[in-house]
Amino acid sequence: MKLIRIVLSNFRQYKGEVCLDFAHSDDKPITFLFGANGSGKTTLLNACRWALYGTLSEDVEGRDSLIHNTVWSDSEDGSIVGCYVELTFEHAGSQYIARRTVETTKSGVQRSLPQKLTVTEIDEFGNSNLLIAPEAKIDSIMPAKLADFFFFNGERIERLVQPDAYKEVETSIKRMLGIEYMEAGEKGLKDVVARLTRDFSKLAGNDTEQLTAQLESEREKEEALIAEIGLEKKNLSAFDAELDHVQAALVSNEVTRELSLQRKDVEASVLRLKTERVELSARKSRRIAESGFAFTGALCANFGKLAEGMIAAGQLPHGIQQSFLEGLLDQGECICGSDLREHAEARAQVESKRDSAGVPEVQGTWMDLRGHLSLLADKRSQLRDDLADLTERISGAYSSLREQQELLTELNRKLGTTEGDSVQGLETRRQELLRDVASTNGSLGLHQRDLEATRSRISSISNQIDHAVVQGQQATLAQQRLQCASKVRDALQKILSVRTESARQTLDEKIREIFGKITIKDYHPVLDDDFHLELFQETAHGRIRVARSTGENQILSLSFIAAVLDYASEKERDSVNDPLGLTTGGRFPIVMDAAFGSLDENYQREVARALRSLAPQIVVMVSKSQGMGTVYDELENSIGSLGVIVAYTTNSDDKQETIGLKGYEYTYIVSDSADNRADIQEVR
Amino acid sequence: MSTSNGDYRMKRPAELEHLIQTMIAEAGFPNIRDVLLFGAFYGFKMGDRVRMERSGEPVAWHTLTYQPWSTVAIRMMAAVECPDDRSIVMPERTAEQLAILEDYATAGLESIQRKWQSGSKSLAQVVEQLVVDALSTDDAISAPDEFSDKELEEYLL
């Protein structure tokens, strides 16, 4: 999708008809617009969005006031008044003109007004066609659910990396993959399975009814645990974010800087040692759990003695063959000359030997088992060594941990007794937060284990119900229905889990790659299993979470958006092979407002350099102070359309301003104007 | 028509299901299979056999014997349990071998449950202690429940 042109008519600040042609060539794909604060940059961003979807971003004030205020107030009650935005764009060889209009008979103040969308498609041969279902067409080209990623306000972009944003991130990704439809299907199937289970249990009898009651109770418990865990994770993120702020405040204070930095290092070390200890303990537990052979010492000894005894008696490896003894009995005489005829005393002894003599297969198995005695002995010996090694390492980690914790206590004491109200306040809050984190982590761990055990019980009970032995045609049919629905639900759950995890991993890699291109800082962004976007730094004490500055947050968010764009572009290719048509994707432009606002000069340069490669078409709107100099210089060669959003203001106190571009001065702010309005001046 | 190994299944004691699940959730056991083998060989070491009252969902032979040592040890266990029946080790008698294994697993797990419930140790600590004790007394010659030379002699002659 490429944006070609936008026309705004009496839309919010834009009075009369205002037009902008977007740059869209491959070599110069950037449209660069300067505009003062409040001039109409955010409105232009929202005009694109409104034309396509009829919505404004959530941060826009006075959302019902779509028609220019003066145009509205100057109109007489009862007269027809309106506004429109017309967006022209190209997609897949066709050009589309989307025009959204509001028109009403004026009465009092502006309220939510009915809108009308028309979309005209002009195909590659120049034939034009007014589309019957314009909303559906637009959604198929650039889904509304992705709009937040491509039309964004830089001042609000950081919310993507805020503690509670992970759900939004996860939801958006799932939408792109069509996973939300599958989730709805899975939820429906859960209900179906529950109903079929109840139906079946009524027909199957008491035991199954009891199991069904147990199952329902376990499922209720599962739901409650999931909700609890979600809340705890959200709380943890909020605690972590606040701890970052407190830590940053302590480091920025000259009195506490040194001790705070030292404490940060020790804390990282404590964390690493705790993790190491937990990992080693888990490894030890696992090693023990898989070691049923640890108890086979006496078993092997006894088996070995049996086998050795058989060898000594000549029964192994080949021993006396049954066929040989049969021959002697047939002859009626032993090789030693003893009488083996019927009723002879020695015959009974030889018959007994024949019955107990091994057949070759049995002897072979015995020999094979005997040959494995050393395997079991080696395994026990290896286990003994491994456990000794793990125990020593756990003990080592524990000692180091104790030392570091003592050091931490001392640093906490020093910082806790540092004078100054602000320091005391920060320290007290820090301790409270640490306690909250510890207790939430504790209960989270408990709930996660409980959830795992509950799910395991659910699976076990469900299996018992599925495989219960039943009688009667009706019960059998009900069981078959239940088994079928359970299988479909299980398959859907697996697909969901695989698709979500694969998307997360792909995005995680892309974010890291893009972040690495934007900044040279040795930070590693991670999109974790819960879709939290975090930044880590490698230190001598291992990987620690970085308390992020605004600049880093913004770069992280941009990297995320660029990764989503790249992913959407890949998904467009995949969607061809998606039989269900659930996957959405495409190559989309980015329209960004105030993307450089909070960045220092170095970050501005890094972001500007990276911007060119983030999307195939970019619209950048900046204020003079944000965009002049570093940003403009970096992007100049890729700018295909340059303009100024001129702010006209009735306020005579505002200073008249101009902006110098390409050797000419252009109007930037016009004060003492007849009305407040915006206009776009193209720079050629 | 012979039965393939894939058709054999080890039953698990339904009355010990909570313990089995807790061993997975809290003591690092990756699978039910590992719990059953652990319980069975521990039970055998103690010399106790208990018939389970009710069977839970069974475990397939190929799942149970995922690690090669387990097939060997299960057959050896049957050989030692039935010293006068040499063909008990044969694959076609897997069903009987599993019956022995099931009894020992039930006894072993019951014992673990008693130790866990009567003491203050966690389940992970209980199983760790059992392994440590087994390895420290792992002396093939002086094992308390081995056959005496006299018993062997009587059997072989």
Side-chain angles (χ1 to χ4, degrees):
Chain A
M1 180 196 200
K2 273 187 181 171
L3 302 175
I4 306 295
R5 165 180 250 235
I6 189 167
V7 180
L8 303 92
S9 173
N10 295 332
F11 182 74
R12 294 180 67 89
Q13 289 105 306
Y14 290 86
K15 190 180 178 189
E17 201 167 83
V18 178
C19 172
L20 169 71
D21 288 316
F22 295 106
H24 58 275
S25 68
D26 289 342
D27 60 331
K28 288 180 184 287
I30 296 179
T31 302
F32 200 92
L33 296 168
F34 284 100
N37 290 335
S39 63
K41 299 194 295 291
T42 307
T43 299
L44 186 59
L45 173 92
N46 270 287
C48 295
R49 197 190 166 106
W50 187 74
L52 295 171
Y53 311 111
T55 56
L56 303 174
S57 59
E58 282 172 16
D59 53 333
V60 169
E61 289 171 10
R63 298 154 76 87
D64 290 338
S65 301
L66 293 172
I67 301 167
H68 187 276
N69 281 337
T70 314
V71 172
W72 179 269
S73 58
D74 286 353
S75 305
E76 287 180 12
D77 269 5
S79 64
I80 303 290
V81 60
C83 70
Y84 69 82
V85 176
E86 188 181 275
L87 186 68
T88 306
F89 59 91
E90 273 179 11
H91 180 73
S94 289
Q95 196 169 81
Y96 296 85
I97 301 167
R99 181 176 172 133
R100 191 176 292 272
T101 312
V102 158
E103 207 168 67
T104 187
T105 307
K106 187 189 168 186
S107 167
V109 293
Q110 284 197 59
R111 290 194 186 86
S112 179
L113 300 169
Q115 306 168 5
K116 188 183 171 203
L117 172 70
T118 59
V119 176
T120 308
E121 180 181 0
I122 303 162
D123 67 20
E124 54 193 314
F125 306 108
N127 303 315
S128 75
N129 177 25
L130 189 65
L131 301 183
I132 299 165
E135 280 92 358
K137 184 69 193 178
I138 284 178
D139 206 54
S140 74
I141 294 172
M142 186 182 196
K145 59 202 176 193
L146 298 182
D148 271 354
F149 289 117
F150 308 126
F151 298 113
F152 67 86
N153 181 344
E155 282 162 5
R156 297 192 68 246
I157 184 181
E158 279 178 52
R159 78 195 155 86
L160 281 174
V161 289
Q162 295 310 314
D164 55 352
Y166 69 99
K167 267 285 151 209
E168 197 179 334
V169 169
E170 186 179 359
T171 308
S172 305
I173 291 165
K174 284 183 172 175
R175 276 181 187 169
M176 184 156 66
L177 288 170
I179 285 177
E180 56 174 5
Y181 300 110
M182 284 195 209
E183 279 184 333
E186 189 220 357
K187 192 176 174 302
L189 268 170
K190 262 188 183 170
D191 296 341
V192 170
V193 169
R195 187 168 55 76
L196 290 175
T197 307
R198 282 194 295 274
D199 292 350
F200 170 60
S201 71
K202 278 180 204 153
L203 295 165
N206 276 347
D207 280 358
T208 315
E209 259 186 309
Q210 251 180 4
L211 285 171
T212 307
Q214 272 179 37
L215 185 66
E216 285 186 355
S217 140
E218 294 290 354
R219 286 208 188 284
E220 276 171 25
K221 192 173 173 191
E222 183 192 24
E223 295 291 324
L225 282 167
I226 290 171
E228 195 82 31
I229 288 169
L231 188 65
E232 281 161 349
K233 283 185 175 173
K234 193 175 169 185
N235 287 343
L236 270 179
S237 297
F239 294 149
D240 282 344
E242 196 181 343
L243 267 172
D244 284 350
H245 285 301
V246 172
Q247 173 69 15
L250 285 165
V251 170
S252 64
N253 184 326
E254 269 183 36
V255 184
T256 51
R257 176 177 298 144
E258 193 140 328
L259 283 173
S260 292
L261 287 172
Q262 205 182 337
R263 179 167 68 181
K264 198 177 163 192
D265 274 355
V266 176
E267 276 177 339
S269 180
V270 165
L271 186 65
R272 179 186 58 80
L273 286 164
K274 276 185 179 171
T275 312
E276 189 181 322
R277 204 174 58 142
V278 169
E279 279 171 2
L280 286 169
S281 298
R283 211 186 304 170
K284 190 176 170 190
S285 291
R286 171 98 182 200
R287 191 79 178 89
I288 287 168
E290 289 176 333
S291 65
F293 57 82
F295 304 107
T296 58
L299 169 65
C300 288
N302 286 333
F303 182 83
K305 283 203 169 186
L306 276 177
E308 293 309 317
M310 287 166 76
I311 289 169
Q315 294 167 344
L316 284 179
H318 298 296
I320 303 168
Q321 296 297 314
Q322 278 176 329
S323 54
F324 172 70
L325 296 172
E326 285 286 357
L328 295 180
L329 290 168
D330 286 348
Q331 283 172 32
E333 187 182 339
C334 183
I335 48 171
C336 65
S338 302
D339 182 7
L340 296 180
R341 284 175 299 181
E342 291 292 331
H343 309 299
E345 196 182 330
R347 184 177 177 92
Q349 286 179 349
V350 173
E351 277 177 342
S352 162
K353 280 284 176 195
R354 176 201 59 189
D355 294 343
S356 63
V359 290
E361 291 80 8
V362 175
Q363 292 163 1
T365 305
W366 272 83
M367 290 306 286
D368 183 48
L369 291 174
R370 182 172 170 271
H372 280 89
L373 283 172
S374 60
L375 167 99
L376 285 166
D378 289 349
K379 282 187 82 70
R380 289 195 303 276
S381 167
Q382 184 64 51
L383 175 66
R384 198 180 289 117
D385 293 348
D386 287 355
L387 291 183
D389 175 54
L390 284 166
T391 306
E392 195 182 322
R393 288 169 66 189
I394 290 168
S395 160
Y398 183 72
S399 304
S400 309
L401 180 61
R402 213 167 42 185
E403 278 171 27
Q404 291 295 309
Q405 273 174 330
E406 277 169 17
L407 190 56
L408 187 59
T409 309
E410 180 56 16
L411 287 166
N412 281 338
R413 192 193 60 74
K414 282 184 184 166
L415 278 159
T417 52
T418 303
E419 298 203 348
D421 287 348
S422 66
V423 176
Q424 287 301 310
L426 287 168
E427 273 298 302
T428 308
R429 183 64 192 137
R430 189 175 176 280
Q431 294 305 329
E432 285 169 1
L433 284 166
L434 286 175
R435 274 195 295 276
D436 288 343
V437 167
S439 90
T440 311
N441 263 328
S443 56
L444 178 64
L446 276 178
H447 288 141
Q448 280 172 330
R449 279 196 294 278
D450 209 2
L451 180 63
E452 221 170 288
T454 306
R455 283 183 168 157
S456 170
R457 284 196 296 276
I458 287 174
S459 154
S460 165
I461 298 170
S462 302
N463 247 315
Q464 288 179 58
I465 294 174
D466 279 0
H467 295 100
V469 179
V470 291
Q471 283 176 343
Q473 202 179 352
Q474 261 194 315
T476 310
L477 191 63
Q479 190 176 33
Q480 283 167 352
R481 277 197 197 117
L482 174 61
Q483 286 168 343
C484 180
S486 302
K487 277 183 187 158
V488 177
R489 181 205 55 203
D490 292 350
L492 204 54
Q493 274 173 345
K494 275 186 194 147
I495 295 170
L496 262 171
S497 144
V498 168
R499 285 188 92 161
T500 308
E501 180 50 18
S502 142
R504 188 200 63 76
Q505 279 180 10
T506 310
L507 278 171
D508 180 48
E509 281 163 26
K510 284 185 192 298
I511 292 166
R512 207 164 10 260
E513 190 189 322
I514 294 164
F515 188 87
K517 278 186 196 162
I518 298 179
T519 176
I520 50 164
K521 279 197 176 178
D522 187 24
Y523 292 158
H524 303 273
V526 170
L527 186 66
D528 70 15
D529 291 348
D530 293 320
F531 287 82
H532 282 116
L533 203 49
E534 291 286 6
L535 206 54
F536 291 93
Q537 184 178 18
E538 299 293 344
T539 71
H541 301 301
R543 179 177 274 200
I544 58 165
R545 202 161 58 82
V546 175
R548 301 184 302 247
S549 68
T550 307
E552 281 141 10
N553 272 342
Q554 209 151 351
I555 290 181
L556 192 56
S557 301
L558 265 179
S559 306
F560 175 74
I561 285 174
V564 172
L565 267 171
D566 197 22
Y567 194 54
S569 163
E570 278 179 15
K571 287 290 119 191
E572 183 190 31
R573 292 192 292 274
D574 292 354
S575 62
V576 178
N577 301 320
D578 180 358
L580 299 176
L582 298 177
T583 310
T584 52
R587 286 171 61 77
F588 303 114
I590 288 185
V591 181
M592 56 204 292
D593 173 23
F596 300 90
S598 350
L599 301 177
D600 64 26
E601 200 179 322
N602 282 337
Y603 274 136
Q604 283 189 350
R605 182 173 295 109
E606 286 169 351
V607 170
R609 269 184 199 156
L611 206 53
R612 175 69 184 81
S613 59
L614 292 187
Q617 184 188 23
I618 300 165
V619 180
V620 181
M621 290 177 277
V622 285
S623 67
K624 205 159 64 168
S625 61
Q626 289 169 8
M628 267 309 195
T630 309
V631 174
Y632 180 73
D633 293 347
E634 282 294 334
L635 294 175
E636 192 176 4
N637 289 337
S638 301
I639 295 174
S641 174
L642 179 64
V644 180
I645 300 173
V646 188
Y648 292 83
T649 165
T650 52
N651 194 340
S652 53
D653 294 341
D654 282 344
K655 209 176 148 195
Q656 195 99 356
E657 270 189 60
T658 59
I659 179 169
L661 291 164
K662 298 195 178 227
Y664 294 94
E665 285 297 315
Y666 289 87
T667 312
Y668 190 60
I669 298 174
V670 178
S671 58
D672 211 8
S673 171
D675 51 15
N676 292 313
R677 65 186 175 91
D679 195 7
I680 298 175
Q681 170 76 55
E682 216 169 316
V683 176
R684 298 205 178 263
Chain B
M1 194 172 67
S2 64
T3 310
S4 78
N5 278 341
D7 298 332
Y8 294 118
R9 289 173 196 284
M10 177 184 182
K11 296 202 286 276
R12 69 190 211 223
E15 59 271 25
L16 293 166
E17 190 60 30
H18 176 64
L19 175 79
I20 293 171
Q21 295 303 337
T22 315
M23 284 174 85
I24 291 170
E26 292 177 17
F29 281 78
N31 289 297
I32 289 168
R33 163 191 71 210
D34 302 293
V35 175
L36 295 178
L37 288 173
F38 191 95
F41 288 101
Y42 170 60
F44 185 81
K45 182 178 179 291
M46 291 191 313
D48 280 350
R49 275 181 79 163
V50 173
R51 186 58 46 89
M52 71 180 72
E53 287 169 20
R54 218 155 40 90
S55 163
E57 195 192 341
V59 176
W61 174 259
H62 63 84
T63 305
L64 188 71
T65 54
Y66 176 72
Q67 296 191 60
W69 71 265
S70 52
T71 313
V72 172
I74 291 167
R75 304 222 197 280
M76 281 184 187
M77 180 193 273
V80 175
E81 186 67 10
C82 310
D84 51 354
D85 182 0
R86 285 174 214 175
S87 66
I88 188 76
V89 297
M90 297 304 285
E92 53 267 30
R93 298 185 66 185
T94 301
E96 290 159 82
Q97 295 160 17
L98 282 175
I100 297 168
L101 193 74
E102 285 161 6
D103 288 355
Y104 280 121
T106 308
L109 291 174
E110 273 185 359
S111 169
I112 290 170
Q113 176 154 274
R114 278 194 299 275
K115 284 178 193 292
W116 174 41
Q117 288 176 343
S118 63
S120 56
K121 285 182 175 172
S122 71
L123 196 48
Q125 287 169 326
V126 169
V127 296
E128 179 176 348
Q129 192 58 52
L130 294 178
V131 170
V132 170
D133 289 348
L135 292 175
S136 63
T137 58
D138 183 14
D139 184 337
I141 305 303
S142 63
D145 47 353
E146 70 187 52
F147 293 113
S148 68
D149 287 344
K150 189 163 173 289
E151 281 171 326
L152 266 177
E153 203 173 317
E154 277 170 8
Y155 162 65
L156 290 166
L157 296 176

